[in-house]
Amino acid sequence: MRWRLLSVGVALGLDLLCTGAIGAEESSAPQGRKFAHAHCAGCHAIALGGASPMRAAPTFRMLAERFPVDDLADVLIEGVERRHPAMPDFRLEPDDAADLTAYLKTLKP
Ligand code: HEC
């Protein structure tokens, strides 16, 4: 059972990587919000209102406006180390990136 789940997960991840279908039905905005809360909210404002705890970090609302959100998924997977000096080893799993971009889409005006 465990292996089955694992291979489904791997297949899904590969699927996302190969087709580039990030942000498709598989992803979930609520999951993305949770992920952002756990991993990004220390520096970025992740909700619609409020300022970022770390002044240099753009709010997620700004990110959603500034970037084509689907490109952002690729950027997050490949790692934004060059653009993201505060977090040198910043690199997301495809699933997490898909959830996160699904969430970012909900912030778009
Ligand atoms: C330790 C603080 C910190 C954490 C945690 C953090 N960030 Fe950032 N992030 C920053 C700062 C500071 C910048 C602005 C960097 C700059 O403009 O040079 C930034 C910029 C960005 C950018 C814009 C990069 C660009 O090219 O302009 C993205 C996208 C981003 N963060 C995503 C995330 C995501 C997604 C998470 C959570 C998984 C996250 N960050 C967690 C501090 C952080």
Side-chain angles (χ1 to χ4, degrees):
M1 188 55 196
R2 199 184 268 183
W3 284 111
R4 248 178 74 97
L5 274 180
L6 188 67
S7 59
V8 167
V10 168
L12 191 67
L14 285 178
D15 208 19
L16 287 173
L17 272 180
C18 295
T19 61
I22 304 288
E25 311 77 66
E26 295 90 348
S27 55
S28 125
Q31 273 306 114
R33 203 193 70 81
K34 247 188 250 169
F35 185 87
H37 190 74
H39 299 281
C40 321
C43 303
H44 293 271
I46 64 162
L48 274 177
S52 293
M54 184 188 260
R55 200 175 290 196
T59 65
F60 270 26
R61 204 174 120 71
M62 282 165 59
L63 291 181
E65 276 175 36
R66 198 193 293 166
F67 291 92
V69 175
D70 290 315
D71 288 359
L72 201 55
D74 291 339
V75 170
L76 295 174
I77 294 164
E78 280 159 20
V80 275
E81 57 242 75
R82 257 168 300 146
R83 302 152 117 193
H84 207 237
M87 275 187 75
D89 55 354
F90 185 81
R91 200 171 285 252
L92 302 193
E93 296 300 321
D95 287 4
D96 294 330
D99 290 343
L100 203 58
T101 48
Y103 172 61
L104 280 176
K105 279 181 186 168
T106 69
L107 300 181
K108 264 173 113 62

